[in-house]
Structures are given as C-alpha cells and as structure tokens.
C-alpha cells in the first residue's frame, strides 16, 4: 500500500477515478433500472398489441426509437426488455450467491478436507462447460422459457461465487482474530458467518456486479438463439435476432437493442470497477 | 486519394463481376434453403429432393409444366379405354439412363410396381393405390389397368414421386441418382452444394446450361449476402420477403413472384380437448385477420384463402367471407362455448418465417378475443416428432405445399385429426369421378365441408418469392409442384 503514491490513489483499471466510473456506471445502470421499473406502470405503447400498418417506421416524435416489423414501439420494447434482462440477471446472480457463497464458505472452513475437495472439484466440473452450452443443454431438456434461461445462467454462477468466496476466505482464516475466535470456542459455521463473510462482502459485491453484467449478456445470447424469453415477451437478444434480415433497410431495429445491451453491460462494469476501488479495504486504509 | 482508390477498386470489381458473369453463361448457381436428406424422390417426402432432381435428373411418364399443366414426358402419347380403366402409354424410343442402360417398358413396370408394393417406402403411395396391374406390351408400350376410373391419374403420374427409375441403379439413388433427365448428377458436397451437369445423350430437347449447382443456405441473412455478392445467380424460394423491395430496386436482379401450392394454415388439433368444440374453432377463425398476417409476416406476399385449396386452381371457391375477421363474433362464440373467462392454447411453430412471425401476429390477434397462447418455437425435427407424429399440440402454423392435397382431410390419423364421414365420402366419390363437371362439384363440396367445420384456420396461399440475376431466363414463376426445373433456363446477353 505504501507503493501507492498520491496520484495513483483510487484509480481503477479503466483509468477513471473511482467516483467518476462509479457515477457513470451507476447512471447508465440506473437508466435501465428506472426504465424497467417504469415499464411495470407505463410504457408509451403496448408491447403486445401489433399494428402492422405502422411497421418499420424510422425514429420520430411519435415513436422515439421507431417501430419494428410488427409496428410495435421499439422504445416500449426496450423498456420491457430491460425488465426481462434485469430480472433474469438478478435471479441468476441470486442463485449463484445463495448456493455458491455457502459452498465457498464451507470449503474454506474445512480447507483440504474431503468436503473441500468434493465441493471445489464439482465446481470445476460445472465450470468446465461453457455457460452457453449448459444453458442450451438445460433448455433442450426442460424446454425453452425465461425460467430455464434463469436457471441455466444461475447454475453457471454457482462455481464463480464458490471460488471467489473460498479464495478470499482462505487468507482471512489465517489471521489472528480468527484464531482468537477459535480459541474462544466458536464453531466453523459461526466464524464463517460472523467474521469471514463480513470481511469478504465487498469482494462479493464487486463480483456480483460483474456477474450481473455477464448475466445480461448471457440472457441476450440465449434469446438471440431463441432459448430465452419466448414471444410475445420482448427481449433485447430476440429483437436483435429478428432485426437481422432487415438491418440493410431498417437499421434502427438493431441499433437500439444493441446499444441497450452495450450500455447496460458497460454501466455495470464501470460500476463494478468503481465499487471495487471504493470498497477495497486496502485502498480505503491509505485514503 | 483514398476516395479515388476506393472508386477505382469499385470499378475494377464491377468489371470483374461482369466478366465472370459473361464467362458463366452456361452455368448457374441456385440457392436453396434446405438441403435434401437424400436424392431418391421415390422413397422420401422431403420437398428439397424434388427441388433438385425433378425434371432435371429424373423424369416420369408425364410432367408438370411451369403453368401447372400436365404434358407428356417419357410417354410420347397415351390412349384411355372407353371404360376409363386401361391406359396404354407409348414411350419414346432410344431413351437411356445416365448409366447407359436403356429405358423401356420394363423399367416403367418396375418403377410403378415398386412404388405401389406393400413394402414400398414411397411418400405418396396414395398416387398408386388405384393401379390394378402394369403390363409390358412391347419395349415401347406399357398398359396400366386401374381398379376404378380415376380422372386424376395422368396428373398423379407427373408427381416427383412417380418418376421412372431403373432396377440397376435405384438402390444407390440416395447418393448417386441415375435418371433419364437432361442433367446427370455429378457431385454432392454434403452441407454445402450439389452439382449436376448436362447429359450429352439426352433423348429430348437439348438444354442451354452445361452445369448447375444447388447451394444450400439456410440463414436468410447469409442468403441475402450471397445473392447481393453474386455468389448465387438465383434463389427461387428466397426465405426473407422483406428483402425483395431492395432486390427490386437493384437493376442487377429481377424479383420473381408467383403462386405455390402451399396452403398456409393455422392447424388445429381437432382431438384436443378444447378444440373438439366447433364453436371454439370457429371463434379462432373469426379472430384471425388474414391481411395483417400477410402484411406482417410475408410483407404483403400471399393471397388470403378460406379453405384448403389453391386460389389459382379453376375449381377454387373463395370462402374467406365465411371466416372473416370479426373479433366480436369470436368473443360471442367463445362465451357460448363456455369460455367467457378465456382459454389458453399451445402454439407450436416450425422455423420458417411465415410460421414464426405469423405465430406472433396470431397470438396477438387471439389475445384480443381472450385466447392466450403459449408459443413454442421448434426446429423441424422437433416439429415432426411433437406435432406431426406425436399430435401433441393445440395450434400450429404450417404450409402444405403438395399440389391438390385436400385429400389429407379424409385421413382421420392425419396430424390435425379431422374425422368426418361426410368429407371422407366426398373424397371417395371424387376418386371414382371422371366427369369434369362432377369432379368440380365434388371438389367444391369438399372445400365447403372443411370450411363449414372450421377444421383449421385458413390463412393464405404462400407466394413463391424468388430473386434471380436479371439476365437469367426461363425460371419457373409459379410452383405447381416442388421443383427447380432448369431445362428451359438460359442466360441472355
């Protein structure tokens, strides 16, 4: 930490000063979160009612982002699509945290035991399959739906969180205050929950934002190949897939969902960067 | 500077492409969306087989022409006995198969006996069920006796499933088809293309092309790029109608819009619990706005139909008014049938865009009247297994592309499971009818029966939308049968 000179303070990998990247990332992300929340109450047009007569209109005052090949308002679809993307990502990350973190804590508390090996090697097994492949496998067996996409992405998240948890918990287990707690007779479970977890929480939060952005990308990818949310539920990935043959004469069909995906993922990554710098206890101490 | 280089390279490119076009005047590359599973039209149903081999490699006694009329092919002429039971065909002499063996009456007898045999795997066995016997009179004369008079027999013989094959070569036809046509098979690069070349020993009218390639491109975006780049000279069944206005505006291409035999229907499982009630089926029919589907899914290409019959056929009845778009009537019917709370049906969709896009539109139209649909997008193999064979569906959308296929409604085992004694009798009568007026009356009554029973939702007749290099002449505009007949195709200067 002493290596950090003043000018290097709080700089994230992206080169933004941490508050800057946090703000930009937070702003970008919250645009879509707000859009998703508002879409529950109001969208400019219904995304389920088709209006073939108004199809493929360019962006204008009436339709801010134009209309698609069924005459649906793309702005409204992006809003509802945000809901789908965010919901899928939240639940998928939730599954990863709820299952992965306890597994990681367990493995760390029984380091090098049979349980540790069992947990971590099973994680390696799941990790060995590319996430999209697992998702295709699950949807092939259980059918295509948003729910199965969520499960698929969630399963992929489990080993990520288990590894990060175990990896960051291990060095803490070697610290003196843990030794003190053990001497005081606290059980492994209590130590994990009362001492380890609070100390690795920041790492988990950062990992969570990164996994969140990956979740949104995975949902878009699955929908693109037709394995995500089924019509008529709008989804950014499927909007891209539908636009493919029309890009040459109606580019707005691809641009807006594309920009939405990029902006959300960028926003979450910037926010992750910013959060990491903000929450990193080592940096904080210097500051 | 950069601009100039770009300009000159563009010029050089256009010179190059025009040169290659000039050098390629006797060969053609055709795009097809689906690759055939094999190349034996007498043992499998896939349309893609006939789209490669029909009239090009294999020929029958008679054949379809572009306008849907039936003309003699391997049979020079025929006589029909007064009782309508015996057909005596005189064959062209000096016809040889591509392997050098001669084509004579024995081969005709072999082909027809093979197609109608008990263990035949012919996909259209019903074409041959009326044949009682096939007898060789002499090498160029064959006589076919029917068990009942059949006015459609000459047409039946024009089908791709009724082509004449040789006992010497038929076993290998799946990968190396040997026929009598003006082209012979040369190469099949699986997953990519099939090449055929001119048969120098062809018995009939000589053809203009030396070589033809069928290239398989399933992705519409890739198809667009391939046509734009000139990698493909013609794409007769172009999969993305939304791109056609762009091709139309480009002088390099001509857009070919014709009719097909494809009745596109919202098929309903008549044995499915909620759909056994005709009022529900009628409600669905009234909930559908055909024009919106044609505009939204097909970008305006397609003709509305009100029954399972091709509008360009002289016996067609326009019954669209009977199931006109009327959401209020649909709601009332649902209420009457006890579904005032609405109901939920599954809607299983195969890959073509008419089904996928049409499905979204229909789902939205059905929602208007209180019917929720659970859309499930299926690949063809899954669709065949779940819907066509498994009959595990409520609704589906598919285009029935065989010509004159209203007879499928007489088969209660067919996937939409329509079982009507009245209809079956009409078709039985039709099989026996030879008088033209009587056939018309029966065909029209058949159309009425299925429209009255609201067996399926009748959407539109699929248009044949193709794009081709504007210098190509002689491609079929309409699609009276599944074929890419290249015998009359040539390049103009």
């Amino acid at each position: 930490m002493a290596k950090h000179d003043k000018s290097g303070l709080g700089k994230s990998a992206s080169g933004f000063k941490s508050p800057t990247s946090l703000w930009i990332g937070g702003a970008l992300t919250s645009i879509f979160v707000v859009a998703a929340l508002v879409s529950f109450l109001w969208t400019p047009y219904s995304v389920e009612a088709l209006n073939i007569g108004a199809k493929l209109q360019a962006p204008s005052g009436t339709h801010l982002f134009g209309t698609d090949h069924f005459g649906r308002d793309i702005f409204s679809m992006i809003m509802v699509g945000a809901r789908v993307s965010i919901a899928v990502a939240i639940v998928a990350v939730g599954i990863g945290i709820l299952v992965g973190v306890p597994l990681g804590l367990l493995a760390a508390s029984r380091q090098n035991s049979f349980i540790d090996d069992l947990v971590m090697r099973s994680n390696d097994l799941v990790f060995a399959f590319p996430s999209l492949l697992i998702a295709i496998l699950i949807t092939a067996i259980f059918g295509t739906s948003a729910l199965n996409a969520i499960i698929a992405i969630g399963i992929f998240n489990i080993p990520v969180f288990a590894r990060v948890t175990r990896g960051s918990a291990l060095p803490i287990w070697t610290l003196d205050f843990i030794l003190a707690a053990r001497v005081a007779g606290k059980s492994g479970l209590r130590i994990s929950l009362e001492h380890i977890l609070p100390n690795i929480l920041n790492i988990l939060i950062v990992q969570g934002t990164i996994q969140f952005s990956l979740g949104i990308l995975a949902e878009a990818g699955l929908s693109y190949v037709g394995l995500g949310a089924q019509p008529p539920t709008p989804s950014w990935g499927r909007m891209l897939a539908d636009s493919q043959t029309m890009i040459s004469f109606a580019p707005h069909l691809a641009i807006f969902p594309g920009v939405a995906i990029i902006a959300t993922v960028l926003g979450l990554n910037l926010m992750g960067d910013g959060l990491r710098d903000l929450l990193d206890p080592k940096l904080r101490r210097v500051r | 500077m950069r601009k100039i280089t770009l300009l000159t390279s563009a010029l050089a490119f256009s010179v190059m492409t025009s040169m290659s076009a000039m050098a390629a005047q006797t060969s053609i590359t055709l795009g097809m969306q689906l690759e055939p599973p094999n190349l034996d039209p007498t043992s499998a149903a896939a349309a893609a087989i006939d789209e490669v081999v029909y009239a090009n490699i294999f020929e029958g006694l008679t054949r379809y022409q572009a306008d849907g009329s039936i003309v003699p092919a391997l049979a020079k002429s025929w006589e029909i006995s007064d009782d309508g039971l015996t057909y005596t065909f005189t064959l062209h002499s000096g016809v040889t198969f591509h392997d050098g063996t001669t084509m004579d009456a024995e081969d005709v007898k072999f082909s027809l006996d093979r197609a109608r045999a008990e263990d035949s795997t012919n996909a259209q066995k019903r074409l041959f069920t009326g044949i009682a016997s096939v007898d060789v009179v002499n090498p160029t004369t064959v006589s076919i006796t029917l068990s009942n008079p059949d006015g459609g027999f000459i047409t039946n013989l024009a089908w791709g499933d009724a082509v004449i094959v040789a006992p010497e070569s038929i076993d290998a036809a799946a990968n190396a088809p040997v026929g009598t046509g003006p082209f012979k098979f040369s190469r099949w690069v699986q997953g990519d293309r099939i090449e055929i070349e001119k048969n120098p020993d062809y018995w009939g009218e000589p053809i203009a092309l030396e070589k033809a390639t069928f290239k398989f491109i399933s992705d519409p975006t890739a198809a667009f790029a391939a046509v734009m780049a000139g990698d493909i000279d013609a794409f007769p069944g172009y999969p993305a109608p939304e791109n056609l206005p762009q091709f139309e505006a480009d002088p390099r291409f001509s857009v070919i819009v014709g009719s097909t035999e494809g009745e596109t229907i919202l098929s309903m499982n008549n044995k499915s619990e909620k759909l056994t009630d005709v009022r529900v089926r009628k409600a669905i029919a009234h909930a559908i706005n055909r024009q919106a589907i044609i505009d939204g899914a097909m970008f305006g290409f397609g003709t509305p139909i009100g029954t399972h019959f091709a509008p360009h056929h002289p016996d067609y009845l326009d019954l669209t008014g009977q199931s006109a778009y009327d959401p209020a009537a649909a709601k009332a019917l649902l209420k009457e049938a006890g579904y005032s709370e609405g109901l939920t049906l599954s809607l299983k969709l195969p890959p073509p865009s008419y089904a996928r896009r049409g499905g979204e539109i229909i789902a939205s139209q059905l929602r208007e009247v209180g019917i929720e649909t659970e859309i499930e997008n299926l690949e063809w193999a899954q669709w065949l297994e779940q819907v066509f064979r498994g009959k595990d569906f409520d609704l589906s959308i598919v285009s029935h592309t065989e010509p004159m296929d209203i007879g499928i409604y007489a088969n209660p085992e067919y996937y939409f499971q329509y079982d009507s004694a009245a209809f079956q009798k009409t078709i039985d009568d039709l099989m026996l009818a030879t008088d033209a007026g009587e056939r018309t009356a029966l065909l029209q009554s058949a159309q009425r029966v299925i429209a009255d029973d609201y067996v399926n939702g009748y959407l539109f007749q699929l248009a044949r939308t193709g794009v081709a290099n504007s210098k190509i002449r002689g491609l079929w505009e309409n699609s009276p049968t599944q074929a890419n007949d290249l015998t009359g195709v040539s390049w103009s200067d």
Side-chain angles (χ1 to χ4, degrees), chain A residues 48 50 52 55-56 69-70 72 144 230-232 238 242 244-246 248-249, chain B residues 220-221 224 240 242-243 246 292 295-296 299 357 360-361 364 367 375-377:
Chain A
E48 292 190 341
L50 313 185
I52 308 288
K55 68 178 176 185
L56 296 174
H69 54 295
F70 291 148
R72 287 177 296 196
T144 52
Q230 293 296 298
R238 197 153 35 75
D242 285 347
Q244 262 194 122
T245 54
M246 295 169 232
S248 48
F249 58 90
Chain B
T221 319
F224 178 74
E242 57 269 37
N243 295 139
Q246 272 176 294
D295 289 345
F299 288 75
R357 287 189 194 139
E360 282 199 57
I361 300 171
S364 141
R367 197 178 308 113
I375 292 183
E376 206 174 321
N377 290 340

Side-chain angles (χ1 to χ4, degrees), chain A residues 21-107:
Chain A
S21 71
L22 186 61
W23 285 342
I24 296 178
L28 273 176
T29 311
S30 46
I31 288 175
F32 290 98
V33 173
V34 169
L37 291 176
V38 171
S39 78
F40 280 103
L41 304 170
W42 172 85
T43 52
Y45 295 87
S46 158
V47 293
E48 292 190 341
L50 313 185
N51 180 6
I52 308 288
K55 68 178 176 185
L56 296 174
Q57 286 181 3
S60 68
T62 20
H63 294 282
L64 203 54
F65 289 177
T67 59
D68 76 348
H69 54 295
F70 291 148
R72 287 177 296 196
D73 180 56
I74 293 183
F75 187 75
S76 309
M77 290 178 77
I78 296 276
M79 284 175 73
V80 181
R83 191 159 95 194
V84 176
S85 287
I86 292 173
V88 168
I90 284 181
V91 181
V93 171
I95 294 176
I97 290 177
L98 286 180
V99 182
V101 171
L103 282 177
L105 288 174
L106 175 72

Side-chain angles (χ1 to χ4, degrees), chain B residues 183-457:
Chain B
F183 287 94
K184 51 185 187 179
F185 171 79
S186 88
R187 193 153 80 112
W188 184 356
V189 182
Q190 299 258 357
D192 183 46
R193 64 184 190 275
I194 290 175
E195 294 168 6
I196 60 177
E197 59 190 25
K198 187 177 190 167
N199 168 16
D201 305 319
Y202 185 54
W203 60 272
E205 193 101 343
I207 52 167
L209 295 174
E210 292 288 337
K211 191 170 172 290
T213 306
F214 296 92
K215 197 154 169 60
F216 309 112
I217 302 181
S218 57
D219 179 49
T221 319
F224 178 74
V227 176
M228 272 292 174
D231 295 342
I232 283 180
D233 301 315
F235 211 124
Y238 186 75
E242 57 269 37
N243 295 139
L244 294 177
Q246 272 176 294
F247 288 126
E248 219 152 26
D250 191 327
R252 290 181 297 157
F253 305 108
S254 56
V255 169
I256 310 163
V257 180
S259 60
T260 70
E261 296 299 318
E263 292 83 20
T264 310
I265 61 172
L266 173 71
S267 38
M268 307 191 211
N269 188 346
N270 281 241
K271 292 269 163 71
S272 159
E273 196 196 321
K274 292 162 191 159
L275 293 170
T276 46
D277 188 338
V278 67
R279 288 172 298 189
V280 178
R281 301 201 300 269
K282 192 175 174 185
I284 292 173
H286 279 304
I288 294 170
N289 179 349
R290 296 187 179 90
Q291 200 54 49
I293 298 169
I294 294 171
D295 289 345
M298 304 308 293
F299 288 75
F301 298 100
T303 314
I305 52 171
T307 183
H308 198 105
F309 216 73
H312 51 84
H313 194 285
D315 295 335
Y316 172 74
L317 279 184
D318 186 355
L319 299 174
T320 48
Q322 190 175 334
S323 45
Y325 176 54
D326 187 350
K331 275 183 204 159
L333 281 162
L334 281 177
K335 202 170 171 187
E336 207 183 307
Y339 291 107
S340 44
E341 304 286 293
L343 75 162
T344 304
L345 298 169
S346 72
L347 175 56
K348 300 195 172 181
L349 304 172
S353 59
Y354 66 74
R356 294 279 168 91
R357 287 189 194 139
E360 282 199 57
I361 300 171
I362 286 180
S364 141
Q365 293 174 355
L366 291 181
R367 197 178 308 113
E368 297 287 314
V369 302
I371 301 174
E372 284 297 322
T373 49
E374 279 164 2
I375 292 183
E376 206 174 321
N377 290 340
L378 303 176
E379 294 305 314
W380 272 122
Q382 290 174 300
W383 185 87
L384 285 171
E385 190 190 313
Q386 292 184 27
V387 178
F388 195 74
R389 282 193 289 272
K391 296 162 190 138
D392 173 22
F393 74 110
D394 293 323
L395 305 172
S396 182
I397 298 177
V398 74
S399 200
H400 288 261
T401 53
E402 287 94 3
M404 281 297 287
D405 53 358
I406 196 168
I408 54 180
Y409 287 76
N411 175 6
E413 298 293 308
Y414 207 63
Y415 75 105
F416 42 73
Q417 307 195 85
Y418 171 60
D419 193 351
S420 154
F423 186 84
Q424 285 154 23
K425 183 172 180 310
T426 311
I427 293 298
D428 286 346
D429 291 347
L430 182 70
M431 299 278 264
L432 303 179
T434 45
D435 176 60
E438 192 189 351
R439 285 184 67 81
T440 299
L442 285 165
L443 278 171
Q444 296 193 336
S445 125
Q447 294 175 51
R448 274 212 187 83
V449 173
I450 55 170
D452 289 343
D453 280 342
Y454 295 92
V455 182
N456 291 312

Side-chain angles (χ1 to χ4, degrees), chain B residues 55-56 59 63 182-183 202 205-208 476 484-489:
Chain B
N56 298 327
E59 295 170 305
R63 57 161 294 179
F183 287 94
Y202 185 54
E205 193 101 343
I207 52 167
W476 279 17
N484 284 309
D485 177 4
L486 298 177
T487 54
V489 173

